[in-house]
């Protein structure tokens, strides 16, 4: 996957957390994701299509997901419920939408978000895609964004 | 007189955030819509002072709503609140009559200030 595809997702994630949640993210070193081991309890998944095709996954631990919903709604959900999945889905949507604007030449379309919850869930990427994982640290615990995007041959 | 607002976004959580922000700022949120056609229908029914409008929604999108609302009321005050899409989409929104634009992710104070600027005190 081209490195130029990564930066827009990185900056969009930092911006979305800072602006909408008041949460500062500290970036770790991006790495190639191997295998399908899940790292988080809540995943917001967005499909991308256009002159490149792929998936972006926003992964949050239980505390980060609940705290994100609390920051958005000014009320703390007692557990991972519909408010939390709505919040994570919309965050994923905003991150993908903002990154899309920075990758204008790819003419991307963004799918509606899907949110997966539960310990031990897996989000698999297609075999031909090499996903890059961008890890972040926050006051609510770790957050990751995984991006798997390949140029479409025309 | 209380300023009235119609909030349009397909994401329930974003509608909730905008509603809370607007209510705290003294607006009366008179309705919500989750897609473009619903926004047109609710605008015709409620005649709010202003509308917040997401551009990217399933079924009928925000541009569809903008055209329908402006056709019904050329004086409508529509604030686009959307992820910064391709410049062409935004350009089309302004061409269709959008009064202003706030990009997602948005800061609530910035959104409130932009919304308040649509209707200066005493204009409703």
């Amino acid at each position: 996957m081209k490195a130029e595809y990564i930066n827009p997702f990185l900056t969009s994630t930092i911006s979305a957390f800072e602006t909408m949640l008041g949460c500062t993210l500290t970036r770790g070193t991006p790495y190639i994701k191997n295998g399908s081991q899940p790292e988080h309890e809540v995943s917001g998944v967005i499909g991308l299509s256009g002159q490149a095709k792929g998936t972006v996954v926003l992964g949050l631990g239980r505390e980060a997901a609940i705290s994100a919903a609390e920051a958005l709604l000014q009320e703390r959900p007692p557990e991972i419920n519909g408010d939390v999945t709505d919040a994570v889905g919309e965050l994923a949507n905003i991150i993908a939408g903002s990154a899309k604007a920075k990758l204008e030449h790819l003419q991307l379309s963004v799918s509606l978000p899907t949110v997966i919850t539960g310990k031990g869930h897996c989000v698999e990427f297609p075999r031909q895609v090499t996903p890059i994982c961008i890890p972040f640290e926050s006051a609510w615990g770790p957050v990751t964004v995984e991006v798997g995007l390949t140029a479409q041959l025309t | 007189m209380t300023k009235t607002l119609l909030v349009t976004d397909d994401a329930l959580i974003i509608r909730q955030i905008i509603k809370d922000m607007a209510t705290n700022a003294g607006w009366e949120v008179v309705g919500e819509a989750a897609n473009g056609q619903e926004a047109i229908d609710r605008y015709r029914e409620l005649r709010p002072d202003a509308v917040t409008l997401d551009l990217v929604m399933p079924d009928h999108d925000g541009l569809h709503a903008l055209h329908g609302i402006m056709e019904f009321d050329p004086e409508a005050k529509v604030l686009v609140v959307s992820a910064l899409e391709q410049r062409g989409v935004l350009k089309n929104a302004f061409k269709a009559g959008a009064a202003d634009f706030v990009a997602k992710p948005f800061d609530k104070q910035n959104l409130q200030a932009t919304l308040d600027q649509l209707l200066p005190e005493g204009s409703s």
Side-chain angles (χ1 to χ4, degrees):
Chain A
M1 189 170 72
K2 292 183 182 176
E4 69 182 70
Y5 294 167
I6 291 298
N7 264 347
F9 291 94
L10 195 158
T11 54
S12 297
T13 305
I14 291 173
S15 168
F17 272 71
E18 185 78 49
T19 312
M20 298 212 62
L21 308 178
C23 177
T24 302
L25 294 182
T26 306
R27 195 196 99 178
T29 306
Y31 58 90
I32 293 172
K33 185 186 174 185
N34 289 313
S36 56
Q37 278 304 302
E39 298 189 4
H40 297 303
E41 204 170 328
V42 185
S43 296
V45 184
I46 299 267
L48 303 165
S49 57
Q51 292 191 8
K53 187 179 171 186
T55 306
V56 56
V57 182
L58 171 67
L60 299 104
R62 183 182 184 80
E63 176 58 27
I66 290 175
S67 295
E70 180 183 9
L72 286 173
L73 295 170
Q74 310 298 316
E75 193 175 335
R76 187 171 177 84
E79 57 190 2
I80 293 176
N81 59 16
D83 284 341
V84 175
T85 55
D86 276 0
V88 173
E90 189 54 21
L91 276 173
N93 195 32
I94 289 169
I95 290 166
S98 300
K100 168 185 164 175
K102 294 168 185 149
L103 293 167
E104 196 166 359
H105 59 289
L106 296 178
Q107 299 180 315
L108 294 173
S109 292
V110 174
S111 78
L112 292 175
T114 301
V115 179
I116 304 165
T117 66
K119 288 177 183 166
H121 72 257
C122 298
V123 181
E124 298 268 10
F125 285 78
R127 261 194 290 183
Q128 66 272 27
V129 174
T130 307
I132 303 285
C133 181
I134 313 168
F136 300 93
E137 282 299 329
S138 78
W140 304 329
V143 171
T144 59
V145 172
E146 294 164 26
V147 185
L149 201 56
T150 51
Q152 288 280 80
L153 296 174
T154 53
Chain B
M1 213 162 112
T2 310
K3 298 173 283 189
T4 57
L5 182 68
L6 170 65
V7 176
T8 308
D9 200 298
D10 59 318
L12 177 64
I13 195 161
I14 295 293
R15 296 203 302 273
Q16 192 61 50
I17 294 166
I18 295 174
K19 274 166 51 183
D20 289 347
M21 177 279 300
T23 304
N24 289 336
W27 289 74
E28 181 188 355
V29 178
V30 290
E32 294 176 49
N35 65 53
Q37 188 56 49
E38 209 179 314
I40 296 169
D41 295 342
R42 299 293 278 160
Y43 188 90
R44 286 168 172 264
E45 175 195 344
L46 301 166
R47 298 296 303 268
D49 294 319
V51 184
T52 67
L53 183 66
D54 187 14
L55 287 181
V56 184
M57 295 183 286
D59 304 326
H60 297 286
D61 66 11
L63 278 181
H64 172 85
L66 196 51
H67 286 295
I69 289 170
M70 298 310 293
E71 191 179 288
F72 175 72
D73 177 9
E75 301 298 315
K77 303 287 187 198
V78 180
L79 173 62
V80 171
V81 182
S82 193
L84 187 60
E85 295 292 327
Q86 280 98 342
R87 289 189 199 99
V89 177
L90 191 55
K91 201 169 149 188
N92 286 340
F94 279 112
K95 208 186 276 182
D100 212 335
F101 174 76
V102 171
K104 292 180 186 172
F106 57 77
D107 171 270
K108 287 178 198 171
Q109 288 175 331
N110 178 39
L111 176 61
Q112 183 194 321
T114 310
L115 191 57
D116 286 343
Q117 278 171 13
L118 293 184
L119 293 175
E121 284 301 315
S123 67
S124 65

